[in-house]
Amino acid sequence: MIPTRIFLDLDDVLNRFTMSALRHVGCPVDEYRYTDFKPEWGWDIVQAANALHPRRRFEDWEFWQSIGRGFWANVPQSNEFSLLFLCEQFVGTENVCILSSPTLDPDCLAGKLEWIQETMPSRFHRQFLFGPRKHFCARPDALLIDDRDKNVEDFRAHGGQAILMPRPWNSLHWANDPYMYVTRILRRLFRRKVAA
């Protein structure tokens, strides 16, 4: 089925959360490249921080406590940010929605909302849903683009379609060009719509 609505993950799809957070806590990484992140760390950013930081070991709570509202509001855009506009071309502005799962810290939620308001065009300022249960949005004509294997699997298991954004912490860590990987799948999905 050709998707009629598209859900885009915020962190590490539209922005550069992981590498920016690692740099923020003092890890010597380039926040604009993923080469310092080892696939074996998987979805565990705290494990990555502990492996990368030259002098410090973090407890989970300590790592997350060090990331405040200002950080969430100012994470740089990803190289794939323009996928937002490609998705908009395929299904229209009103059918594109940003999904994000904030931490339990209210500053995280507030910072993510600020990011949307400051980074995205105004027509997307009310096009978002926050919460950890992304699969609640799944249905046959819905497509999720996300960087977490589990989110993609859950969305598919609940009847939706999904594309995994290649990142070092997921099963597509080998893909060299995430933008091309995702756009190739999107164009294939929507080719039937264009041809009809």
Side-chain angles (χ1 to χ4, degrees), residues 32-50:
Y32 293 95
R33 296 175 10 159
Y34 294 102
T35 53
D36 293 322
F37 198 103
K38 305 277 187 269
E40 57 264 26
W41 298 328
W43 187 254
D44 192 342
I45 191 172
V46 178
Q47 180 183 357
N50 287 332

Side-chain angles (χ1 to χ4, degrees), residues 45-59:
I45 191 172
V46 178
Q47 180 183 357
N50 287 332
L52 289 165
H53 201 285
R55 295 176 303 280
R56 188 170 173 192
R57 283 201 53 83
F58 296 92
E59 296 295 330

Side-chain angles (χ1 to χ4, degrees), residues 95-163:
N95 293 309
V96 175
C97 185
I98 309 310
L99 295 184
S100 191
S101 177
T103 68
L104 294 176
D105 181 354
D107 281 340
C108 174
L109 185 63
K112 285 176 184 255
L113 180 57
E114 285 180 38
W115 189 93
I116 289 170
Q117 292 172 341
E118 295 297 320
T119 307
M120 301 182 77
S122 61
R123 64 188 180 274
F124 291 104
H125 286 182
R126 303 286 292 167
Q127 301 285 111
F128 62 86
L129 294 170
F130 290 126
R133 303 290 182 256
K134 295 179 181 180
H135 65 272
F136 285 177
C137 298
R139 51 188 254 183
D141 67 338
L143 173 69
L144 171 67
I145 302 173
D146 200 290
D147 66 302
R148 187 175 188 195
D149 288 283
K150 183 171 181 356
N151 291 342
V152 165
E153 292 161 9
D154 287 350
F155 205 82
R156 289 176 179 156
H158 285 84
Q161 303 175 57
I163 301 173

Side-chain angles (χ1 to χ4, degrees), residues 1-19:
M1 176 176 282
I2 299 168
T4 60
R5 58 183 61 181
I6 300 176
F7 297 96
L8 289 160
D9 180 34
L10 178 60
D11 294 325
D12 288 313
V13 171
L14 295 178
N15 72 23
R16 299 175 172 278
F17 165 72
T18 295
M19 299 312 291

